Amino acid sequence: MKPWIGLLLLTAPSWAAWRAGASAVKLTPSEAVWMAGYAARTKPSEGVLQDIWAKALALEDETGAKAVVVTLDLVGIRAEMAKEVADTANRKHGLPRDRVWFNASHTHSAPLVKGHGNAYELGEYASRQGPVLDRYRTFVSARISEAIDKAVAALAPATLHFEQSLAGFAVNRRRVGHREYPGPVDHDVPVLIAKNGEGKPMALLFGYACHNTVLSDYLINGDYAGFAQEALEKRYPGAVALFVQGAGADSNPLPRRTVELARRYGATLADAVAEVVSGKPKPVTGPLKTAFEQVDLKFAGPVSKAEWEKRSASGQAQERKHAARMLETVEKEGKLRETYPYPVQVWRFGTGPTIFTFGGELVVDYALRIKAKYGWDTTWVAGYSNDVFAYIPSLRVLKEGGYEGGGAMLFGSLPGPWADDVEERIASAADRVAARTR
């Protein structure tokens, strides 16, 4: 070997030392199935407008350490399924829990994925179509593992690049009917690009903070995020586009309710991503450092049995049904749970972006707070990660009340609402986890 050739190999920049692999497997159901997200639905799905997917992006840094992000065109993923898939990935590929990240787009036009135990399930779908939901859950778990296997198998030399753009169709939905409320939103579109040896995009991981609730009929689809991914994969042949839901719990795409609008918002988001690809995104260095923690969030209770009995006679249907579930739990288990294990995860790319991921339906205040502390240009905040089980309000939203502030708890099996320290517990956990990645 000539000396100058060896010198070039020894001094190759760390951002050129990545390996990446991406995959996509269909989650489209093969039979009519109850759909998640809207409790008002009265029947199963009636067809498919667009295929839905589990997608995986596997990364390997210069140390040989691997990590995988899985994006899902689903309303959510529960902790139980995340654990079983992550355990399988660890056995097969040596991926510890902090190096597997699951994110759901929260499309309300996908099937319900049945959970275990005290699952957060809008409506009463599980009791109406149990065998179909059982089959679909088994199918989804297997397909997610398949997506991870394929992404790891596809690992090849790559470069990573990061930058952010903007898209403006998210609207703070709490101001609908309450114009006196503040209307914070997060319009950032963070984009992580994996390029192959020819310099062409092989994977586009991108995010936005807004409910996927343009559509509300009975056709399976990925909503605006699905159309954005579809548009990007047409624009960049051979690339896998993966959507990450941000802290969009209190944001809606407005106006909405037509396929034309869903396609339009998808095109807008795809254009924002393309702006990054065609611009000058910054090279991303390694190594990738990761950390994961579960912090106990407290419920505001306790509420006495007498109070639950009183609420079980309420004239408000959801309050009555929720109270009945709480009384049933007390009867079976002797008490209600006082805390919930909440997942917080951080991925830090060398001197590049730091990704904070949080469970549940995270309101925008968390993203704005974390970006202000850790850097607006290099911080990416994602909710709907690793366990989607309830709304996660900030202290402001908790005090304002309403659906995101605690009303949504009436549709689930948790006592709710959260205690006043919910925001500080999560913020402190984020700081601890981030510190472990420095």
Side-chain angles (χ1 to χ4, degrees), residues 167-379:
F169 57 85
V171 177
N172 191 295
R173 71 187 195 183
R174 291 176 60 78
R175 293 197 68 232
V176 177
H178 289 279
R179 294 188 184 276
E180 72 277 15
Y181 284 178
V185 289
D186 180 4
H187 284 151
D188 290 346
V189 180
V191 184
L192 182 70
I193 309 165
K195 295 183 179 180
N196 61 21
E198 298 177 353
K200 296 180 179 180
M202 58 187 295
L204 300 167
L205 185 73
F206 67 103
Y208 195 59
C210 183
H211 260 73
N212 267 287
T213 52
V214 180
L215 300 175
S216 60
D217 55 21
Y218 291 87
L219 297 178
I220 300 295
N221 67 87
D223 210 86
Y224 76 79
F227 288 114
Q229 293 172 84
E230 188 177 85
L232 286 166
E233 290 175 356
K234 288 180 180 178
R235 189 176 304 201
Y236 302 102
V240 176
L242 306 92
F243 173 81
V244 171
Q245 181 61 262
D250 46 350
S251 294
N252 269 349
L254 293 175
R256 54 182 181 160
R257 298 303 187 226
T258 70
V259 174
E260 179 187 3
L261 285 169
R263 291 186 184 278
R264 184 188 305 171
Y265 297 146
T268 296
L269 188 53
D271 286 343
V273 175
E275 183 177 61
V276 170
V277 176
S278 63
K280 296 180 179 180
K282 299 178 181 65
V284 173
T285 65
L288 172 60
K289 297 183 178 181
T290 61
F292 181 97
E293 177 180 318
Q294 287 183 315
V295 57
D296 284 338
L297 300 186
K298 293 182 178 180
F299 296 104
V303 176
S304 67
K305 183 177 180 181
E307 177 62 25
W308 287 120
E309 289 174 342
K310 178 181 176 181
R311 294 183 187 183
S312 69
S314 169
Q316 205 280 327
Q318 291 302 333
E319 183 176 38
R320 185 172 64 250
K321 293 177 181 179
H322 179 253
R325 288 194 293 274
M326 297 304 101
L327 289 170
E328 183 181 356
T329 301
V330 172
E331 183 70 23
K332 289 181 178 179
E333 303 178 15
K335 64 178 182 178
L336 298 177
R337 65 190 310 163
E338 298 177 358
T339 62
Y340 192 94
Y342 182 75
V344 178
Q345 185 177 26
V346 174
W347 284 14
R348 187 187 298 270
F349 289 83
T351 56
T354 300
I355 304 176
F356 289 77
T357 88
F358 300 91
E361 300 197 46
L362 199 72
V363 301
V364 69
D365 290 353
Y366 288 93
L368 301 180
R369 173 174 177 165
I370 291 168
K371 290 182 183 184
K373 180 170 185 176
Y374 287 94
W376 294 97
D377 293 333
T378 58
T379 305

Side-chain angles (χ1 to χ4, degrees), residues 25-222:
V25 300
K26 287 183 183 180
L27 295 181
T28 310
S30 59
E31 59 187 321
V33 60
W34 282 95
M35 299 168 73
Y38 296 118
R41 285 194 175 106
T42 59
K43 55 187 176 180
S45 60
E46 296 181 329
V48 177
L49 174 64
Q50 178 190 55
D51 284 320
I52 56 174
W53 302 83
K55 298 179 179 180
L57 173 61
L59 299 172
E60 183 179 292
D61 64 18
E62 65 264 33
T63 72
K66 299 181 182 68
V68 177
V69 52
V70 177
T71 64
L72 303 163
D73 293 334
L74 296 171
V75 79
I77 183 171
R78 293 306 312 279
E80 294 86 354
M81 181 182 286
K83 182 181 186 304
E84 69 185 46
V85 175
D87 286 348
T88 299
N90 193 15
R91 289 195 303 272
K92 287 184 174 181
H93 309 295
L95 289 164
R97 183 62 188 89
D98 54 293
R99 288 187 166 261
V100 183
W101 162 31
F102 303 94
N103 181 273
S105 74
H106 203 54
T107 173
H108 283 40
S109 294
L112 176 72
V113 180
K114 194 174 181 180
H116 293 298
N118 292 326
Y120 176 62
E121 294 171 347
L122 292 176
E124 299 174 353
Y125 307 143
S127 64
R128 301 190 191 185
Q129 209 189 22
V132 176
L133 293 173
D134 287 339
R135 286 194 293 273
Y136 188 69
R137 187 200 182 281
T138 300
F139 169 75
V140 167
S141 180
R143 295 293 271 172
I144 296 174
S145 289
E146 181 183 344
I148 294 174
D149 293 345
K150 288 182 175 180
V152 172
L155 282 167
T159 59
L160 299 185
H161 309 260
F162 176 79
E163 192 52 81
Q164 300 191 70
S165 185
L166 294 163
F169 57 85
V171 177
N172 191 295
R173 71 187 195 183
R174 291 176 60 78
R175 293 197 68 232
V176 177
H178 289 279
R179 294 188 184 276
E180 72 277 15
Y181 284 178
V185 289
D186 180 4
H187 284 151
D188 290 346
V189 180
V191 184
L192 182 70
I193 309 165
K195 295 183 179 180
N196 61 21
E198 298 177 353
K200 296 180 179 180
M202 58 187 295
L204 300 167
L205 185 73
F206 67 103
Y208 195 59
C210 183
H211 260 73
N212 267 287
T213 52
V214 180
L215 300 175
S216 60
D217 55 21
Y218 291 87
L219 297 178
I220 300 295
N221 67 87

Side-chain angles (χ1 to χ4, degrees), residues 373-408:
K373 180 170 185 176
Y374 287 94
W376 294 97
D377 293 333
T378 58
T379 305
W380 186 339
V381 178
Y384 300 84
S385 296
N386 299 311
D387 188 11
V388 182
F389 62 98
Y391 276 86
I392 308 298
S394 61
L395 180 59
R396 172 185 68 83
V397 172
L398 186 67
K399 288 182 174 179
E400 288 175 354
Y403 191 73
E404 298 87 356

